[in-house]
Amino acid sequence: MAHVVNKIHSSRGPIASSLDRPWKPNGTAVVLAPGQGYHRELPLLKQGAQALVKAGFHAVRFDWRYQTAGGKPSAGLKEERLDLKAAVLFARSIEGVDRIILAGKSMGAGLALDFVCEDRRFAALALMTLPIRPPAATVADKLARVKPPVLIINASSDPLCDLKTLFQVAQ
């Protein structure tokens, strides 16, 4: 595995990022969008990237620009949407990559879901600890619009998404 620290350039400025490259690439990159208080070097994203690379995937991890600049998320997460767009564009520019999987944790999962609803060119979507609060009709509507396969990963006890609500949404 080759690990390269990059600076993804958003329209708002540089975003700290890491690109983990496999020795035998399979043509797919996974963009891992972190949670609000979660950065690219914490275990879920770092160990997840390592496992993906062993399976032949390129893994793109990044920190939100507000984390890099030492701030807070923007109102309505408008600026974070630009950060995610920059990370996806970066992944699409990797030589030999012709498929992109978008994965997100918590806040990153919510933004990833929105992004895949707007841009249908993804091979798959993975949502880890997707924030869902009752009533969950909006999330259910978005999931119904997603075309690629979706994987939802959630703990049995999560303050951002109780299992009963998740099961209702996933039907």
Side-chain angles (χ1 to χ4, degrees):
M1 173 177 77
H3 176 78
V4 180
V5 175
N6 297 303
K7 291 282 187 182
I8 292 174
H9 293 280
S10 166
S11 59
R12 304 179 319 114
I15 302 168
S17 61
S18 299
L19 169 61
D20 298 293
R21 294 180 177 269
W23 294 117
K24 293 183 180 180
N26 63 17
T28 305
V30 180
V31 176
L32 298 160
Q36 180 176 336
Y38 210 86
H39 60 78
R40 73 184 194 284
E41 294 299 326
L42 288 175
L44 183 64
L45 296 184
K46 189 171 186 177
Q47 293 170 10
Q50 291 168 350
L52 288 164
V53 166
K54 287 179 184 176
F57 297 91
H58 289 80
V60 176
R61 296 176 284 135
F62 66 96
D63 296 334
W64 301 110
R65 175 75 177 110
Y66 71 83
Q67 293 170 321
T68 305
K72 294 182 178 187
S74 63
L77 303 177
K78 290 179 184 177
E79 293 178 358
E80 288 68 37
R81 291 175 203 284
L82 296 173
D83 295 348
L84 182 56
K85 180 179 181 179
V88 168
L89 289 173
F90 174 78
R92 287 186 173 139
S93 76
I94 298 169
E95 186 177 338
V97 168
D98 57 6
R99 289 178 307 278
I100 305 291
I101 295 172
L102 189 52
K105 179 197 179 315
S106 195
M107 182 183 85
L111 288 169
L113 176 58
D114 289 346
F115 205 88
V116 172
C117 284
E118 297 164 8
D119 182 340
R120 308 239 185 230
R121 296 177 289 164
F122 291 92
L125 173 64
L127 305 171
M128 301 171 281
T129 63
L130 176 65
I132 304 173
R133 293 228 174 15
T138 302
V139 173
D141 291 343
K142 289 178 185 178
L143 284 169
R145 292 196 329 253
V146 172
K147 296 299 180 198
V150 178
L151 172 66
I152 301 174
I153 303 168
N154 203 72
S156 60
S157 176
D158 187 331
L160 297 178
C161 176
D162 67 275
L163 287 180
K164 180 180 178 185
T165 304
L166 177 60
F167 291 147
Q168 290 171 346
V169 165
Q171 292 181 2

